[in-house]
Amino acid sequence: MQQLLITCRAGLEPDIAAEIQVKSAAVGVHGFVRAQAGQGYVIFEGYQPDSAESLMQRLAFAELIFARQWMAVVEHVTLEAPTDRIAPIVEVLQQAPAFHGSWLTFPDTNDGKSLSRLTRKLEKPLEKALAPLQARTPDKADWIVQVFFLSGEEFWVGLTPRRNASLWDVGYPRLRQPPSAPSRSTLKLEEAWLQLIPEHLRAVYIKPFQKAVDLGAAPGGWTWQLVHRGMQVVAVDNGPMDKQLMESGQVTHLREDAFAYKPNRQVDWLVCDMVEKPARVAELMERWLVKGWCRFAIFNLKLPMKKRWQEVDQILTRIRAELDQAGIAYQMSARQLYHDREEITVFVGPKET
Ligand SMILES: C[S@@+](CC[C@H](N)C(=O)[O-])C[C@H]1O[C@@H](n2cnc3c(N)ncnc32)[C@H](O)[C@@H]1O
C-alpha cells in the first residue's frame, strides 16, 4: 500500500502534514502530503508501492502529536448510485492481508458528523459480509479494516495496524462530562491520562493518597479529576475554586502566582492548564522536573496561530534537551487531544526500565 490516510482536528491539516513529512523522512520513507484545509485528514503519498506499511513499521503512532488515527489506503471508492455500499467494500478487500474487525469512521467536521447514522447502520451488515474474509484468530491478524466515509457516495477503504494505532476507532475516547465537575476542562485531563499513559501503567502512576499540585486550577475541573482519584491537591490560582470541590477536604487553595509557587517537598503529580505563552509554561515545567519537585507532569502548551507543529517541536526539543542535560531519565508523550482547544497536552514521567 502506497498511501497513508491520517485524520486530525479540522483546521490542523497543515500541522499534521508538516509533522508527517519530517517524521517519515527521518525514518527513510519518502513521499509528499496532500492536505486541504478543513477536511479533517491528509494523505501521505509514498514513492514506493509499500510506503504505507514501511512507515507504519518504522514510526510509532504514539509519536505523532497532531494525528488522531491512521490507515494504509487500499482503495478510494466513489459510487455513482449508492444502493449497495457493502459489496464494493468487500470487493476491494478480496486481496488484502489478514485482518480482523472493522471500523467505520468519518472526519471530525460538521459534514463528517452527519454521517454517523449511516455508519451505525452499516456496521452489522459489513461485519457479516466480511466474516468469510476475516482471519480466524483475531490476534493473528495485524490489521483492522477501516472505512472512512466522506459522504454516502465517497469513502476510503484501508487497514489500520492493530498494534500501532490509536486504541479508539475515531482516535479519542468518548467521555461523559461528570455532573459534579466544575468545568468542561475536566475532560482534558481525563483524556490526557487515557491517551498519553499506556494502559498497563495507568493504575501504577495514578493512585489514591498521592499528592498533587494543580497550577492555574480554578474553577477546578482538573482538581476534580485528582480528587476523584483520591489525591490530596494543592490548587494554585487567584481565581475562585468550586465550593463543593473545596468541601471534599482534599483541596488546599492557594491564591498565589503559579510561577512563584514552590512545593515544600516532592509531589507525585504536577498538572498545569494555564493560558500562557508556551515557552513560559515550558520553562516552568522544566524547573519542576529538573529540580525533582514532581514525579509526573501533565501540562498544556497553547498553540500559536501559524507554524504550530514547528513551534511545538521546538519547545518539546528544548524541554528534552534540558532534561537530558540534567541527566534525568524520562518518558515524554504529547498529543493534540479531542478535548483540547488550541493547545496540545504533554505528559512527562520517569523512564520505564
Ligand atoms: C483554563 S483555566 C484553568 C481551568 C482548570 N484547569 C479547570 O479545569 O477548571 C486557567 C486558569 O489559570 C489561572 N492562571 C493564569 N495565570 C496564572 C498564574 N500566573 N498563577 C496562577 N494562576 C494563573 C487563571 O486564573 C485561570 O483560572
Side-chain angles (χ1 to χ4, degrees), residues 92-107:
V92 302
L93 289 168
Q94 290 295 333
Q95 305 304 323
F99 62 83
H100 199 281
S102 53
W103 286 338
L104 298 176
T105 58
F106 42 82

Side-chain angles (χ1 to χ4, degrees), residues 183 185-186 216-222 236-238 256-259 273-275:
S183 69
S185 296
T186 197
W222 286 31
V236 184
D237 201 308
N238 273 313
E256 287 181 25
D257 178 8
F259 289 90
D273 180 27
M274 286 190 288
V275 186

Side-chain angles (χ1 to χ4, degrees), residues 181-189 214-225 235-241 245 254-261 271-276 280 284 300 302 341 343:
S183 69
R184 289 278 305 162
S185 296
T186 197
L187 296 180
K188 288 197 275 184
L189 183 55
D214 184 353
L215 300 179
W222 286 31
T223 296
W224 186 94
Q225 291 289 341
V236 184
D237 201 308
N238 273 313
M241 291 293 286
L245 190 57
L254 300 179
R255 289 180 183 274
E256 287 181 25
D257 178 8
F259 289 90
Y261 172 79
V271 299
C272 174
D273 180 27
M274 286 190 288
V275 186
E276 251 297 343
R280 205 166 169 229
L284 181 64
N300 278 338
K302 285 260 140 255
R341 289 173 193 272
E343 60 207 348

